[in-house]
Amino acid sequence: MATIPTQLPIPSEKPQDLKFNAGKIDEFVTSMGWTYTDRFGVKRYTIEGIIYLSQQVMSAFGYVTLTGVTFTTGATITQPNEVLFNTADNSYYKWTGSFADGSKVVPANSTPATSGGVGPGKWLNVGDSTLKPLLDVTANVVGSNNYYPMPASGAYITAGNDYLYQNVLYTTVGDSGIIQSISGNTVTTDTGTVYLLDKRWSVNDVRAWGVQNDAQADTAFKNAVNFINKAPGGKRTVYVPPIALILSSIELRDLANLTIHFDGTYLVGNSSTVQTSMIDIVNAHTVSITGSFIAAGSNKYTYAIRGRGGLPSSIAPETGIFTSFDMMGGWKFNTWNCALCFGDGTDKQVSEINVKVLTTNKVNCCVEVNGSQTIVSVEGSCVCEPVSGFTYKKGVFNIIGGVINHTSGEAVSSIDAAAPIVNMSQASSTQYSNPFGSARLNGVHVETVSSLVSIKNSSGISGSSFSGHSDITFSMCSGAMLNGGIPLIENQVSDYAGTVNIADTCNFYSATNRTSVVIYSTSANMTARVGDSAFRDGFTTIAENISPQCNWQHGMRPIAYLEAASVSIPASTSVSVSFPSRLSTGDYKYYYANTNNDGFNVATHIRQMEISVYMPSSGAEFRVSILLNGVEYFSCISGGTVTIPGNRLPIGAEIRFACKNTSGSATTLANTARVVITASNY
């Protein structure tokens, strides 16, 4: 006989008693949490939890753009993959917060900031309005019976439809037609190309195009960039997630109004054959590379990334152009011949290029600029660490007729004595006014075991090349010069007429005994302007560190100190004054082009000269004459001062001194007689 269960006591505290534990049903319906424990002790999802799970499933399948409503008109968001347009910044936003009330209500005349805020768990910007035609086609989801099985080769495929292929749901963009072949995410049709876009990702995410972590991605990455770049409208964005993106060598052409955003990507150059570059960008206008990446390469590449103006194109129909190009974020390059190159020497317009913040190591060169229209501004730590087996010209910057502006950070070449901070040579074209180019470093910490600047003719270029507009400038820089056996500025071009500027705001010191000059030039036309205290600890007076060939420019300063020999002057007689003793150190040494002791010869350009004469006698006073090229220019009794303008002082001019005794008795020039010459040359 079956046992009749004993009636539970009333009131019952057991969860099985539905009558007295009906609140568990209410908890399922009304709880704001995601789970609850039912009357049998089993953990289950609440209504809120089930809604959350469904939202997460739906959010994995692209975005639905709401038509006819914006933040300005007001709207009601009911699904997490619905995106709402904000007219203020021309972008779509997705609500990632709670749908506790079943929807997210956006009042009229709202903004993302005023209707919930921007950030994780709030509104997130998911793309520019120009992506709308692409975003719309990602609104379909599995289960809605509006997708098709992938057609076979020879069948017709319709761009804009969704297809299930190899258990993955794809949407399609491109040229409808009869399928000729399928390779990865690319379908070749009889009319063009259809791309299969994985609907787990938004269309501007390169993963939708078939880019996978740690897999060769040349074709998929190039397809994504090229297609999004050609989408109609204004600025567009390509998103590259934090994956290992492996490329051999790709060329991206005619980019315009495009941003490529790297989100902490590990970018790997992987080629078994010799390549010019991993990424070659040809023709670009108003293009940005944002975010951050680490790029690792090998000696198979000359450059990691090269940008240049190529043949005429859709964005530059007459000449080709590369301008308004920004790399803004954090860019790290490791193990390359040269990290970045802009221009190829063809003198296309390559300018308005900004790179910040750059970090390099294990590279033969950090940045090359090539062509007299190439102008690049750089911020960051540019460290040259030449690698064995790499053949590229060593140096932090390689300037071939271009211009480098490096501000803040550091420029370091502390391993190889053949790796200057700046290598400078002329571009092959003289179409523009500065074929030798310029280097300007401001606020940079500098260390080198080599030279600061090396100026040489480019390989294969001979004869004169206009260089008067070239300049090498260091201002507000500091750091250690670690090699005393080579010049810090070395010019090997015999007709180079550029300018070296080392501002007094610099503070360079020598960490070793120096045996070589600071500036060496084979051209007397090269101008050097060097601050008195730019080279401090470990350096001697600056004039001793400038080769005579160089045109050293300075303000008024003593350039000669001459001590006269004592001489007897008979009555009514004139004698020449000789100066066997002359100060031969410091700045004076720079101006003593010869060793004769009968006066001073002008050996370099002088803008203005001041001569002070002190000629005391032991007897009657006499007249002192200053002779310029054998003709008396000035005379005084015993002593005086005269200023001579530069137009009377060509190089080679002779300055001599004579004493004339007009008295009736002999007198003697005292051995304390002296001449001090002060001059400026700019």
Side-chain angles (χ1 to χ4, degrees), residues 290-636:
T290 61
S292 63
F293 62 65
I294 298 174
S298 70
N299 63 358
K300 297 297 183 182
Y301 297 91
T302 303
Y303 312 109
I305 298 176
R306 179 173 67 158
R308 57 194 176 95
L311 295 173
S313 66
S314 59
I315 62 172
E318 295 182 358
T319 61
I321 194 172
F322 192 98
T323 187
S324 298
F325 183 87
D326 297 324
M327 293 182 67
M328 316 294 281
W331 318 115
K332 299 180 180 179
F333 293 87
N334 184 298
T335 319
W336 299 91
N337 271 293
C338 183
L340 293 171
C341 172
F342 297 100
D344 59 6
T346 57
D347 270 334
K348 298 292 190 294
Q349 183 178 343
V350 184
S351 61
E352 299 175 48
I353 299 166
N354 299 292
V355 181
K356 62 170 86 168
V357 175
L358 176 65
T359 301
T360 62
N361 52 62
K362 293 187 178 178
V363 298
N364 276 32
C365 176
C366 303
V367 183
E368 174 185 301
V369 292
N370 190 349
S372 62
Q373 283 288 88
T374 306
I375 303 172
V376 179
S377 297
V378 176
E379 292 183 18
S381 298
C382 300
V383 180
C384 169
E385 297 176 331
V387 180
S388 176
F390 285 46
T391 58
Y392 185 86
K393 190 174 184 178
K394 301 171 184 177
V396 176
F397 300 120
N398 187 26
I399 298 173
I400 309 172
V403 176
I404 276 281
N405 298 306
H406 184 197
T407 57
S408 74
E410 60 180 348
V412 175
S413 176
S414 58
I415 292 179
D416 196 315
I421 299 299
V422 175
N423 280 307
M424 178 175 287
S425 56
Q426 74 269 46
S428 57
S429 171
T430 57
Q431 179 179 356
Y432 297 100
S433 63
N434 191 9
F436 256 94
S438 299
R440 300 153 188 161
L441 283 74
N442 180 50
V444 177
H445 176 75
V446 181
E447 290 187 14
T448 180
V449 296
S450 182
S451 56
L452 289 172
V453 178
S454 174
I455 305 170
K456 295 180 180 179
N457 278 317
S458 290
S459 175
I461 297 178
S462 59
S464 62
S465 176
F466 179 74
S467 55
H469 293 168
S470 175
D471 70 273
I472 304 106
T473 299
F474 292 83
S475 60
M476 299 181 69
C477 294
S478 63
M481 309 296 104
L482 305 174
N483 189 335
I486 58 177
L488 294 180
I489 309 289
E490 184 172 17
N491 167 42
Q492 298 286 356
V493 180
S494 61
D495 63 343
Y496 180 75
T499 301
V500 175
N501 303 286
I502 313 292
D504 201 46
T505 56
C506 291
N507 182 7
F508 293 122
Y509 66 90
S510 179
T512 184
N513 292 328
R514 292 201 58 81
T515 58
S516 182
V517 295
V518 170
I519 300 178
Y520 173 82
S521 175
T522 59
S523 169
N525 296 321
M526 186 180 91
T527 296
R529 296 190 180 102
V530 183
D532 288 345
S533 56
F535 295 95
R536 303 185 184 182
D537 291 347
F539 291 94
T540 55
T541 307
I542 188 61
E544 292 187 327
N545 285 282
I546 300 177
S547 64
Q549 278 286 87
C550 179
N551 177 24
W552 173 42
Q553 294 197 354
H554 55 79
M556 293 296 291
R557 65 193 303 157
I559 63 170
Y561 183 87
L562 314 176
E563 294 183 354
S566 178
V567 61
S568 177
I569 308 173
S572 302
T573 302
S574 179
V575 299
S576 296
V577 180
S578 63
F579 301 91
S581 177
R582 57 185 66 204
L583 195 62
S584 59
T585 59
D587 295 342
Y588 307 109
K589 182 178 180 181
Y590 181 82
Y591 286 93
Y592 290 159
N594 57 58
T595 58
N596 61 31
N597 62 2
D598 55 350
F600 182 85
N601 288 2
V602 176
T604 64
H605 165 75
I606 291 177
R607 184 182 65 86
Q608 179 176 295
M609 177 183 287
E610 183 179 274
I611 302 176
S612 294
V613 180
Y614 175 63
M615 299 283 184
S617 64
S618 60
E621 291 184 341
F622 48 79
R623 179 171 295 278
V624 180
S625 296
I626 298 176
L627 307 177
L628 179 58
N629 292 327
V631 178
E632 183 178 86
Y633 185 85
F634 173 80
S635 66
C636 59

Side-chain angles (χ1 to χ4, degrees), residues 10-187:
I10 298 175
S12 171
E13 296 181 358
K14 295 210 177 267
Q16 293 91 333
D17 192 329
L18 179 59
K19 179 178 180 180
F20 295 98
N21 289 279
K24 290 294 180 181
I25 302 299
D26 293 335
E27 188 176 353
F28 162 70
V29 176
T30 63
S31 174
M32 297 302 292
W34 289 351
T35 63
Y36 79 106
T37 303
D38 71 7
R39 64 195 181 92
F40 296 102
V42 179
K43 191 173 185 180
R44 300 186 184 278
Y45 283 102
T46 63
I47 287 292
E48 180 71 16
I50 292 172
I51 292 173
Y52 174 78
L53 290 177
S54 65
Q55 291 171 348
Q56 297 309 302
V57 172
M58 287 185 288
S59 68
F61 294 98
Y63 301 134
V64 176
T65 56
L66 297 180
T67 303
V69 291
T70 66
F71 278 90
T72 303
T73 65
T76 299
I77 309 296
T78 60
Q79 303 296 340
N81 59 339
E82 292 177 335
V83 293
L84 184 62
F85 184 58
N86 181 33
T87 56
D89 62 359
N90 206 39
S91 295
Y92 280 92
Y93 285 79
K94 169 186 174 182
W95 178 249
T96 61
S98 173
F99 286 82
D101 297 326
S103 62
K104 168 65 177 175
V105 177
V106 181
N109 298 315
S110 296
T111 67
T114 62
S115 60
V118 178
K122 303 175 184 178
W123 291 104
L124 289 181
N125 188 319
V126 296
D128 304 295
S129 64
T130 54
L131 292 178
K132 184 179 185 301
L134 304 179
L135 291 169
D136 282 344
V137 301
T138 67
N140 302 315
V141 296
V142 174
S144 57
N145 297 320
N146 54 2
Y147 64 91
Y148 307 90
M150 183 69 184
S153 181
Y156 194 87
I157 187 171
T158 302
N161 284 351
D162 292 350
Y163 294 94
L164 190 64
Y165 178 52
Q166 297 179 344
N167 295 319
V168 176
L169 183 64
Y170 295 94
T171 192
T172 52
V173 294
D175 305 307
S176 304
I178 299 173
I179 297 176
Q180 307 297 306
S181 63
I182 303 175
S183 177
N185 287 50
T186 304
V187 180

Side-chain angles (χ1 to χ4, degrees), residues 656-678:
R656 301 292 182 259
F657 302 87
C659 292
K660 185 175 183 180
N661 182 0
T662 59
S663 70
S665 60
T667 186
T668 302
L669 178 65
N671 58 10
T672 56
R674 63 186 181 275
V675 172
V676 176
I677 301 176
T678 304

